[in-house]
Amino acid sequence: MKAFTFERAHSPADAAAKAVATPGSTFIAGGTNLLDLMKLQIETPRHLIDVNRLGLDKIEGVDGGGVRIGALVRNTDLAADARVRKDYGVLSRALLAGASGQLRNKATTAGNLLQRTRCPYFYDTNQACNKRKPGSGCAAIGGFNRNLAIMGTSEACIATQPSDMAVAMRVLDAGVETVKPDGTTRTIPIADFHRLPGDTPNIETNLIPGEFITAVTLPKPIGGTHIYQKVRDRASYAFALISVAAVVQPDGRGRFAFGGLAHKPWRVEAAERLSGAKEIAGTVLAGAKTTPQNAFKVPLVERTLGAVLAEAKG
Amino acid sequence: MNDRTPETASTVTRRGVLTTSAVGAAAAALPAPVLAAGKPEPARSVPTMPVTLKVNGRTRELELDPRVTLLDALREHLSLTGTKKGCDHGQCGACTVIVNGRRINSCLTLAAMHDGDAVTTIEGLGTPDKLHPMQAAFVKHDGYQCGYCTPGQICSAVSTIAEIKEGIPSHVSGDLTVKPQMTVTEMRERMSGNICRCGAYSNIIDAMSEVAGIDQGGVDA
Amino acid sequence: MKFDTPATTNPIDQMKVVGKPHDRIDGPYKTTGTAPYAYERHDVVPNQAYGYILGSAIATGRIKSIDTSAAAAAPGVVKVVTWQNAGAVKKPDAVTAKLLGGPEIEHYDQAIAIVVADSFEQARAAAKLIVVDYAREKGAYDLKAAKSSAIKPQPGYAGDPDTAVGDFAGAFAKAPVTLDATYTTPDQCHSPMEPHATIAHWDDGKLTVWTSNQMIQWAKRDLAEAFGIPQESVHVMSPYIGGGFGSKLWIRSDAIMAAVASRACGRPVRVTLTRPMMYNNTTHRPATIQRIRIGADKAGHITAIGHESWSGDLPGGQPETAANQTRLLYAGKNRMTATRLAVLNLPEGNAMRAPGEAPGLMALEIAMDEMAEKLGMDPVEFRIVNDTQVDPENPDKPFSHRDLIGCLRTGAERFGWDKRHAKPGATRDGRWLVGMGMAAAFRGNITMKSGARVGIDKKGVVTVATDMTDIGTGSYTIIAQTAAEMMGVDMDKVVVLLGDSSFPVSSGSGGQWGGNSSTAGVYAACVALRDRIAQKAGFNTAEVDFADGKVTSGNRGVKLSDIAGIEGLSAEDSIEFGDLGEKYAQATFGGHFAEVGVDTATGEVRVRRMGGAFAAGRILNPKSARSQVIGAMTMGTGAALMEDAVVDQRFGYFVNHDLAEYHVPVHADIPHQDVYFMPEVDDKSSPMKAKGVGELGICGVAAAVANAVYNACGVRIRDYPLTLDKLIGEMV
């Protein structure tokens, strides 16, 4: 871990302003991913801005029936919130399928969206990784890529976004509220928040430098049966091989987003007009680019989706 | 990129292990071992900052390098070595402590982020002469072997029972809209962030069941 | 004391303390965080500096140049030590690759430098400033590719690599029912919860280390060899060890690098390996390819059994002896085994919990399941039909005690095996296909010379000192029970001191020999102390009774505390084992049973129930022995379902080198486990009449799980671990 200086922000706008004032700044909230990466010098901030005490830890109803989740709401609190449990069950389920009790007590809503990939080559600084060191190459292609992406990959990167929460946020059409260093605010639709790797896998979101997430909003509840099915190699405390976030209506139609497939939560709205797991999965996975190790994800998506649809049907 | 000498590059190419996805003209085709080494930086003195922690009820004032994790503050600066470092990356749970009433991985948080916080470690739960009920239950049910993950397991076990009572749901909770039940299935899921390589899991659940007052009769609930 | 004739009645047979499920005496320390592990010894020596090891970024090749100047100039850095300035340090013969590498690189993450600084944070940051210029060379990393170049290794501790009895080829060709199948097991990592760690301190040419090591005397020997000093100049202490499973049998780079750095800096240095470094810097259980051929008559009697195993290791390394148990486990007149070793430039392969048998039974016990199905026999009955009470290669050599049949029958009954459907895929529970599987457990019983010193003081407190270690096995407690039984005192009157090289040399902890051997050593020392006490009391030593803190002969009794007096009394002895291990085949046995669910949609496998019955001689403490077995069952479940150190075959290293990516079982993976010990004493094994139990539990369990998966869903996987990607392609 490189040496850094440390200060506490006093407000969201102050945080954003501080971030651009000091080169090499990074916000720290829960720290559960950032410190992990800093210890390995995958992240090397020179200045940390502690944003934990900004009061952004409330979940509140908004006009029109949705909710606004403060950026610093801990994963445990979000999953346990009565309104979320009742109206956005897929979000609770996704959060509870992720990490461990200890990590969920620390990890925040905004930080969860910004989790970086678990690609083992990203994690080993001896290896080539365009995400960690642009231009160095991608050791994962041709290497151990059993759990890496099959959708939206590029020649530069086949990493996946590891967040479970983000997959549920995607199926719920969440919005990401931010404040920019100049003090202006905006809401980024979750669909536009994460980027595909392209030639710049090191740039993972559409946030601009210093832009600070203040909240995540959920539109008014859409009803339906909420299911988050995570498929993994052990019963708990493991990243998804694939996951399905689903909100299925009584008529069998639904919304489906997938984790473990791409550099962002993967959702193909056009597929949601179809019915049947085979048809939906076929459209969702159109253009899949697999390796011998991760080709199993294609049938796994269809099978898991089939189980989800059956479960929703009851 | 000292590694990219023609000789080495050709060796690697012959082996067919050239990574295939270099980006841009300046791309490094080789996985570069020297990536790990940054450019030498001028020596700077490391600034420290004051941090006050309330550990096991006692106020402790420290002057710390900002890089010091809560775990290392406890182990290296306060000599509270009951909290263990098993992985230092949030992957094992050996470092679990209770901060402001919630269990966390002390390895993945900076001491500086906890200025003023109340920290309970294994030493704060009980002592060999006066064991906490969970510690006593671990002894009775042999809920440990090598003992290294044990303090984290116990802090987590105490918190797990509290979390179930508090009504926090888990991955295995059935209906999200009702309070979770005190069952071994709930406990196993919630304890899964605490790895025990010796494999004392079955006994740990027995110990927790006793403390939680549930009769599992040696079988799954 | 020489143990060369079967044990007769002795004070241990009283079983007043031994054999009781006593809580661990170290429990109150371990559960309160007050048991000190190696890296935590702030108290032992002042002015400790922090060392941080840099590992090699390549697997094979050499360092062309290394620039440590920036690291040396970084804040707080005391010194940077590499092979260039370390001073003389020899590779101990007991390890395969150098523990301080450079300029030649033998494997990935081989230690090449250590940064010593005033703080951990400073040392870690400075280590990243070292600039290394490598010249990669070609290495061999793929066992499958190297298999054809594998050679017959030198006979090792496990005997000759080739064995043959009768006419295997002829009998196999003639057998009406045959199986010829190949199985693979992956590289596995011990992953103890405590990373390898050492504090080293030099004083006047003498080296003291506080470390985490299973075999104190080996550590002492190897450190002396490394630094060219007499063994008397090395002091090793390891009172608590946070798990080893074989990875701490020999000193690793933490010890050598701490000692090298301390010598170079003139200051005590503490070093811990980081978790990500453990996978490629230390040892692992090597992957195997195993071909098994079994031929049987139609009644299920094995007529031919052959087991060949291939594994790899660094030059000068050793094979994984995965065919070994097949020499002894089942009957059959015509038999062969062969063990072959390829050169691989991966990190050093070495012993991990039940080396040989653990991976060997992963294969053999699937093969037995496959044969039973071909024969239309119940898998339990097929094994029972092929039981043998003698060494099948050497029918004149009986087993000292063998109750495999009892284990299988008892285990089956307790588990409810009769409810199993022989036809795969027949049981469904909602989304889950449910199946049962079983396997035999077998692990050789090894004995090792072991010594102890036992003393008694004026308060009647018995103190045992031995360099034996407790790696979670319960040594503290069973040694205390042994001393309490022998001396006739209560458990709270016994103090046990372990893990210090200034104490008598013990068996150490490994190969499941520690429990039986070390307590037998304590028994021997207690016999000597009893003699001294009896003599001092003026008794005929043959006619004394030690009970209730007194020694009694006839109607005269004297308190031990009075006999000990101000000076106290002590005695030292060791147990030395004669040739009973050659006259009798000695082994431990068991039957594993597992029930699994396979998700019909996702192919995820979850263990629903497990249990088994085990025969391992006298069980010295049923509570801690049970823990050994459930722990081994847990590790075996990991082997069955998830553990796989994946080799990047381009760059020669284990890619998934942390606990997030190298999966071991978590709480949610493990159900309640039922363990039953067969009532048994084995008078050929030691005066304790006990055998090992620490490794037996992992032997066979993975195959029981794999067989249950087959029974559940009808997909036979011969390539461990049984991950869902291998299943869903075959499932309907």
Side-chain angles (χ1 to χ4, degrees), chain A residues 40-52:
Chain A
L40 299 166
Q41 289 201 13
I42 294 164
E43 296 271 10
T44 54
R46 278 175 283 165
H47 184 65
L48 279 189
I49 301 165
D50 182 353
V51 297
N52 278 292

mmCIF file of all heavy atoms in Angstrom, chain A residues 40-52:
data_model
loop_
_atom_site.group_PDB
_atom_site.id
_atom_site.type_symbol
_atom_site.label_atom_id
_atom_site.label_comp_id
_atom_site.label_asym_id
_atom_site.label_seq_id
_atom_site.Cartn_x
_atom_site.Cartn_y
_atom_site.Cartn_z
ATOM 1 N N LEU A 40 -2.562 -4.535 -2.459
ATOM 2 C CA LEU A 40 -1.839 -5.180 -3.553
ATOM 3 C C LEU A 40 -1.287 -4.148 -4.535
ATOM 4 O O LEU A 40 -0.728 -4.510 -5.570
ATOM 5 C CB LEU A 40 -2.783 -6.150 -4.282
ATOM 6 C CG LEU A 40 -3.336 -7.283 -3.414
ATOM 7 C CD1 LEU A 40 -4.509 -7.973 -4.097
ATOM 8 C CD2 LEU A 40 -2.244 -8.285 -3.090
ATOM 9 N N GLN A 41 -1.484 -2.890 -4.233
ATOM 10 C CA GLN A 41 -1.107 -1.775 -5.126
ATOM 11 C C GLN A 41 -1.745 -1.902 -6.507
ATOM 12 O O GLN A 41 -1.155 -1.531 -7.520
ATOM 13 C CB GLN A 41 0.416 -1.613 -5.208
ATOM 14 C CG GLN A 41 0.988 -1.061 -3.913
ATOM 15 C CD GLN A 41 2.346 -0.399 -4.060
ATOM 16 O OE1 GLN A 41 2.803 -0.119 -5.164
ATOM 17 N NE2 GLN A 41 2.992 -0.128 -2.946
ATOM 18 N N ILE A 42 -2.946 -2.422 -6.517
ATOM 19 C CA ILE A 42 -3.755 -2.371 -7.733
ATOM 20 C C ILE A 42 -4.440 -1.010 -7.779
ATOM 21 O O ILE A 42 -4.603 -0.415 -8.837
ATOM 22 C CB ILE A 42 -4.763 -3.536 -7.734
ATOM 23 C CG1 ILE A 42 -4.007 -4.863 -7.827
ATOM 24 C CG2 ILE A 42 -5.773 -3.399 -8.884
ATOM 25 C CD1 ILE A 42 -4.829 -6.075 -7.452
ATOM 26 N N GLU A 43 -4.802 -0.519 -6.628
ATOM 27 C CA GLU A 43 -5.244 0.868 -6.471
ATOM 28 C C GLU A 43 -4.149 1.598 -5.695
ATOM 29 O O GLU A 43 -3.656 1.076 -4.684
ATOM 30 C CB GLU A 43 -6.550 0.936 -5.670
ATOM 31 C CG GLU A 43 -7.741 0.274 -6.345
ATOM 32 C CD GLU A 43 -8.521 1.228 -7.251
ATOM 33 O OE1 GLU A 43 -8.019 2.351 -7.505
ATOM 34 O OE2 GLU A 43 -9.612 0.848 -7.684
ATOM 35 N N THR A 44 -3.786 2.777 -6.165
ATOM 36 C CA THR A 44 -2.696 3.501 -5.504
ATOM 37 C C THR A 44 -3.054 4.976 -5.299
ATOM 38 O O THR A 44 -2.361 5.869 -5.795
ATOM 39 C CB THR A 44 -1.397 3.401 -6.319
ATOM 40 O OG1 THR A 44 -1.676 3.844 -7.658
ATOM 41 C CG2 THR A 44 -0.856 1.991 -6.358
ATOM 42 N N PRO A 45 -4.135 5.253 -4.587
ATOM 43 C CA PRO A 45 -4.478 6.658 -4.354
ATOM 44 C C PRO A 45 -3.413 7.343 -3.502
ATOM 45 O O PRO A 45 -2.798 6.713 -2.640
ATOM 46 C CB PRO A 45 -5.808 6.575 -3.610
ATOM 47 C CG PRO A 45 -5.802 5.242 -2.951
ATOM 48 C CD PRO A 45 -5.052 4.343 -3.884
ATOM 49 N N ARG A 46 -3.237 8.604 -3.762
ATOM 50 C CA ARG A 46 -2.288 9.372 -2.940
ATOM 51 C C ARG A 46 -3.013 10.133 -1.836
ATOM 52 O O ARG A 46 -2.403 10.653 -0.919
ATOM 53 C CB ARG A 46 -1.501 10.342 -3.827
ATOM 54 C CG ARG A 46 -0.339 9.656 -4.523
ATOM 55 C CD ARG A 46 0.361 10.576 -5.490
ATOM 56 N NE ARG A 46 -0.418 10.710 -6.727
ATOM 57 C CZ ARG A 46 -0.218 11.659 -7.628
ATOM 58 N NH1 ARG A 46 0.688 12.591 -7.428
ATOM 59 N NH2 ARG A 46 -0.947 11.697 -8.725
ATOM 60 N N HIS A 47 -4.347 10.202 -2.019
ATOM 61 C CA HIS A 47 -5.123 10.940 -1.030
ATOM 62 C C HIS A 47 -6.470 10.253 -0.875
ATOM 63 O O HIS A 47 -7.142 9.981 -1.867
ATOM 64 C CB HIS A 47 -5.312 12.385 -1.524
ATOM 65 C CG HIS A 47 -6.014 13.273 -0.534
ATOM 66 N ND1 HIS A 47 -5.467 13.599 0.684
ATOM 67 C CD2 HIS A 47 -7.215 13.908 -0.590
ATOM 68 C CE1 HIS A 47 -6.302 14.396 1.340
ATOM 69 N NE2 HIS A 47 -7.368 14.607 0.593
ATOM 70 N N LEU A 48 -6.853 9.973 0.360
ATOM 71 C CA LEU A 48 -8.152 9.339 0.605
ATOM 72 C C LEU A 48 -9.090 10.347 1.252
ATOM 73 O O LEU A 48 -8.712 11.030 2.207
ATOM 74 C CB LEU A 48 -8.010 8.144 1.547
ATOM 75 C CG LEU A 48 -7.542 6.805 0.978
ATOM 76 C CD1 LEU A 48 -7.680 5.727 2.045
ATOM 77 C CD2 LEU A 48 -8.319 6.424 -0.271
ATOM 78 N N ILE A 49 -10.285 10.405 0.711
ATOM 79 C CA ILE A 49 -11.310 11.276 1.280
ATOM 80 C C ILE A 49 -12.372 10.383 1.920
ATOM 81 O O ILE A 49 -13.084 9.657 1.219
ATOM 82 C CB ILE A 49 -11.919 12.171 0.184
ATOM 83 C CG1 ILE A 49 -10.809 13.015 -0.462
ATOM 84 C CG2 ILE A 49 -13.025 13.054 0.762
ATOM 85 C CD1 ILE A 49 -11.209 13.669 -1.765
ATOM 86 N N ASP A 50 -12.426 10.430 3.219
ATOM 87 C CA ASP A 50 -13.368 9.601 3.978
ATOM 88 C C ASP A 50 -14.756 10.229 3.884
ATOM 89 O O ASP A 50 -14.964 11.354 4.359
ATOM 90 C CB ASP A 50 -12.895 9.506 5.429
ATOM 91 C CG ASP A 50 -13.790 8.633 6.295
ATOM 92 O OD1 ASP A 50 -14.868 8.199 5.821
ATOM 93 O OD2 ASP A 50 -13.418 8.385 7.460
ATOM 94 N N VAL A 51 -15.676 9.503 3.273
ATOM 95 C CA VAL A 51 -17.030 10.053 3.075
ATOM 96 C C VAL A 51 -18.057 9.361 3.974
ATOM 97 O O VAL A 51 -19.255 9.449 3.731
ATOM 98 C CB VAL A 51 -17.453 9.936 1.588
ATOM 99 C CG1 VAL A 51 -16.525 10.766 0.712
ATOM 100 C CG2 VAL A 51 -17.446 8.479 1.127
ATOM 101 N N ASN A 52 -17.549 8.680 4.996
ATOM 102 C CA ASN A 52 -18.457 7.876 5.819
ATOM 103 C C ASN A 52 -19.395 8.690 6.704
ATOM 104 O O ASN A 52 -20.401 8.183 7.147
ATOM 105 C CB ASN A 52 -17.652 6.908 6.689
ATOM 106 C CG ASN A 52 -17.258 5.674 5.908
ATOM 107 O OD1 ASN A 52 -18.104 4.873 5.545
ATOM 108 N ND2 ASN A 52 -15.976 5.557 5.602
#
